[in-house]
């Protein structure tokens, strides 16, 4: 049963929260100050009621997943961000680089299982030239034309601009020509300059990340957006991050989904603690309430864990990402979720959350309804 939202709001004594509740009912946008108040003053159940009210309006009782695979062609990375336990130097005994044959074997495996999407991102090695990034997209698309290639974060694309002297537009056109279909949301981390200087001072900054996405949208390439939270950022900085995304979405409409990524500290130079489940659910819910121009909020089971991701489907999220098969980035930092999941497991997680599982493609078109 869906809560009687009006009744819940009418019982709220805190005036700011009650006003926010009324805005949600009237389908009015909340401002940054109000979003901060939600983080600081609202309890979890209130946030869940508001967020799920919005989610049901946008997505009904549907919750999405995709049959996909993540491929990280290398973990060698020049940037060495302090929050990341995945990227290593070339001299590190753990470093690896996949051959073309290895990549194609993985794509073929996924294709045989009915996979729809290859999500390819990785480290950024010093010795890779511009052509390598174009080649890997073309390699997959030429051999598996039906596969959607969602590849290279804005960080990789900015790096390609640095090493080639090309503009974002020229690079994206080359990638589209090679077969690129979409851009994942990774690399956003947190836009606040203060926090970014602590956790990843060397790579593309917020403006550069956002400009890559804006350019992709202009060229008709849909993109996703993430936010890494739970490290050194304040709740004000989380809201500032989401506000920047909301502004671009107003301009372009090119973001498909927002994905809050809970920080995992193990093996990182930054250290720190894991997020709490309450913080995870609050962040999902507030993002659903604040990002009124985003259709989808992803509960990424890799960072949330399967159980919290399942509950998040009742706190404003409508998507679990996918089967993934071999997640490496967050596993390097200690997540205790699985490396991948079967379709049956994702369908069961969604059903037990009280939602109808929908297998989707990268662009949120329905592939199959599991009624
Ligand atoms: O950019 C790195 C994050 C991201 C850690 O677009 C960490 O559909 C937690 O962006 N703890 C890569 N997170 C993953 C990503 C993603 C995943 C699923 C779907 C999509 C999409 C995008 O992982 C990185 C970084 O923000 N990450 N280290 C860590 N210690």
């Amino acid at each position: 049963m869906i809560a009687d939202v009006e009744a819940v709001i009418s019982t709220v004594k805190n005036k700011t929260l009650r006003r926010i509740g009324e805005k949600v009912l009237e389908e009015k946008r909340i401002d940054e100050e109000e979003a901060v108040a939600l983080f600081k003053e609202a309890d979890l159940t209130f946030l869940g009621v508001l967020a799920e009210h919005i989610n049901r309006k946008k997505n009904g009782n549907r919750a999405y997943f995709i049959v996909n695979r993540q491929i990280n062609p290398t973990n060698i990375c020049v940037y060495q961000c302090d929050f990341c336990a995945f990227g290593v130097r070339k001299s590190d005994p753990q470093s690896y680089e996949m051959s073309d044959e290895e990549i194609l074997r993985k794509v073929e495996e996924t294709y045989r299982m009915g996979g729809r999407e290859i999500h390819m991102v990785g480290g950024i090695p010093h010795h890779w030239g511009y052509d390598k990034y174009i080649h890997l997209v073309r390699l997959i698309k030429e051999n598996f034309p039906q596969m959607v290639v969602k590849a290279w974060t804005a960080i990789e694309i900015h790096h390609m601009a640095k090493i080639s002297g090309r503009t974002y537009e020229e690079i994206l056109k080359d990638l589209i020509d090679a077969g690129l279909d979409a851009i994942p949301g990774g690399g956003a981390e947190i836009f606040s300059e203060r926090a970014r200087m602590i956790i990843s001072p060397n790579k593309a900054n917020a403006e550069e990340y956002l400009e890559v996405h804006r350019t992709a949208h202009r060229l008709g390439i849909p993109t996703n957006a993430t936010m890494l939270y739970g490290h050194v950022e304040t709740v004000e900085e989380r809201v500032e991050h989401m506000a920047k995304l909301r502004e671009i979405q107003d301009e372009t409409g090119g973001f498909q989904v927002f994905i809050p990524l809970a920080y995992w500290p193990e093996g990182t130079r930054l250290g720190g603690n894991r997020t709490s489940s309450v913080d995870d659910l609050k962040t999902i819910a507030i993002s659903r309430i604040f990002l009124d121009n985003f259709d989808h909020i992803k509960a990424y089971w890799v960072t949330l864990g399967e159980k919290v991701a399942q509950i998040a489907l009742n706190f404003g999220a409508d998507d679990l990402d996918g089967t993934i098969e071999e997640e490496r980035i967050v596993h390097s930092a200690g997540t205790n979720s699985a490396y991948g999941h079967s379709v049956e497991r994702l369908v069961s997680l969604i059903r037990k959350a009280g939602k109808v599982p929908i297998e989707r493609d990268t662009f949120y078109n329905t592939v199959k309804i599991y009624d």
Side-chain angles (χ1 to χ4, degrees):
M1 198 192 83
I2 307 164
D4 181 343
V5 191
E6 266 176 74
V8 171
I9 293 166
S10 68
T11 62
V12 173
K13 296 212 168 61
N14 178 315
K15 278 198 183 124
T16 311
L17 296 183
R18 176 141 17 146
R19 179 72 199 116
I20 294 171
E22 284 161 3
K23 276 190 167 181
V24 167
L25 281 180
E26 293 160 14
E27 295 187 31
K28 286 194 180 138
R29 180 169 273 195
I30 69 162
D31 63 27
E32 290 178 51
E33 218 175 290
E34 289 166 330
V36 170
L38 287 179
F39 271 112
K40 291 191 170 167
E41 296 169 41
D43 65 33
L44 180 59
T45 45
F46 178 66
L47 291 171
V49 168
L50 294 190
E52 202 41 27
H53 172 76
I54 297 169
N55 181 30
R56 295 258 172 180
K57 282 203 149 173
K58 286 185 184 283
N59 297 297
N61 63 351
R62 299 181 296 276
Y64 297 92
F65 71 94
I66 185 167
V67 183
N68 67 348
R69 179 176 202 129
Q70 287 191 14
I71 297 183
N72 310 121
T74 180
N75 63 348
I76 301 170
C77 193
V78 287
Y79 289 110
Q80 300 294 303
C81 302
D82 281 354
F83 66 84
C84 178
F86 171 73
V88 297
R89 300 225 183 258
K90 195 167 182 219
S91 55
D92 190 300
Q94 307 272 345
S95 72
Y96 72 85
E97 257 183 273
M98 291 178 189
S99 65
D100 285 3
E101 292 69 33
E102 201 178 337
I103 290 172
L104 284 180
R105 259 200 316 276
K106 288 176 190 290
V107 180
E108 181 170 9
E109 221 177 88
T110 306
Y111 181 68
R112 281 179 194 281
M113 287 172 26
R116 305 246 145 200
E117 173 190 273
I118 296 297
H119 174 174
M120 178 168 65
V121 297
I124 302 183
H126 207 269
H127 59 281
W128 279 20
Y130 179 74
D131 292 346
K132 177 77 177 184
Y133 296 90
I134 308 288
H135 162 74
L136 288 181
V137 170
R138 181 163 282 126
L139 177 78
I140 297 173
K141 201 60 167 199
E142 265 181 9
N143 286 278
F144 297 91
Q146 303 87 337
M147 201 60 105
V148 168
V149 182
K150 182 175 91 179
W152 309 139
T153 65
I155 305 305
E156 281 147 327
I157 293 169
H158 175 74
H159 179 81
M160 290 163 74
K162 249 173 56 180
I163 59 175
S164 71
R166 289 174 169 86
T167 64
Y168 297 151
E169 180 164 335
E170 288 166 342
I171 294 166
L172 284 164
K173 284 183 171 164
D174 284 350
L175 287 168
I176 293 166
D177 180 59
L180 183 85
D181 298 292
I183 293 179
E189 321 317 354
I190 196 83
F191 292 147
S192 142
E193 205 184 328
R194 182 202 71 84
R196 206 173 182 87
M197 287 312 281
I198 300 170
I199 68 166
S200 60
N202 300 321
K203 67 185 185 188
N205 64 29
E207 296 322 312
E208 290 157 344
Y209 175 96
L210 292 168
E211 190 50 31
V212 170
H213 283 263
R214 206 185 265 121
T215 311
H217 298 170
R218 209 175 51 237
L219 295 174
I221 292 288
T223 76
N224 299 343
T226 58
M227 173 177 76
L228 184 70
Y229 67 92
H231 39 85
V232 303
E233 88 292 352
T234 63
V235 294
E236 285 82 358
E237 287 166 334
R238 291 186 195 180
V239 172
E240 175 196 326
H241 185 102
M242 293 191 285
K244 288 207 157 95
L245 294 172
R246 190 168 78 171
E247 200 182 309
I248 295 203
Q249 184 72 334
D250 275 342
E251 235 175 271
T252 68
F255 286 120
Q256 304 200 99
V257 57
F258 177 65
I259 313 156
L261 296 170
Y263 171 60
W264 284 81
E266 279 165 40
T268 67
R269 282 172 295 280
L270 186 64
N273 299 312
R274 295 177 186 180
T275 59
S276 71
S277 305
V278 170
D279 190 19
D280 292 336
L281 291 172
K282 279 187 163 184
T283 307
I284 291 267
I286 294 168
S287 69
R288 179 60 290 167
I289 297 165
F290 186 76
L291 293 172
D292 59 341
N293 53 3
F294 276 64
D295 289 341
H296 304 287
I297 302 291
K298 192 180 283 187
Y300 187 41
W301 58 260
V302 171
T303 50
L304 294 177
E306 293 80 352
K307 290 191 175 193
V308 174
Q310 184 182 42
I311 299 169
L313 296 178
N314 284 277
F315 280 79
D318 63 286
D319 183 23
L320 287 182
D321 197 80
T323 48
I324 298 176
E325 292 190 43
E326 60 172 334
E327 201 288 330
R328 292 172 185 241
I329 297 175
V330 190
H331 280 85
S332 311
T335 182
N336 42 27
S337 67
Y339 283 86
H341 276 303
S342 63
V343 167
E344 291 70 33
R345 174 86 165 113
L346 295 179
V347 165
S348 162
L349 281 170
I350 293 172
R351 277 208 180 118
K352 288 181 182 159
K355 298 283 175 93
V356 176
I358 309 283
E359 183 186 335
R360 64 165 174 87
D361 66 11
T362 306
F363 315 104
Y364 288 86
N365 298 307
T366 299
V367 173
K368 183 171 174 186
I369 303 170
Y370 287 79
D371 234 344

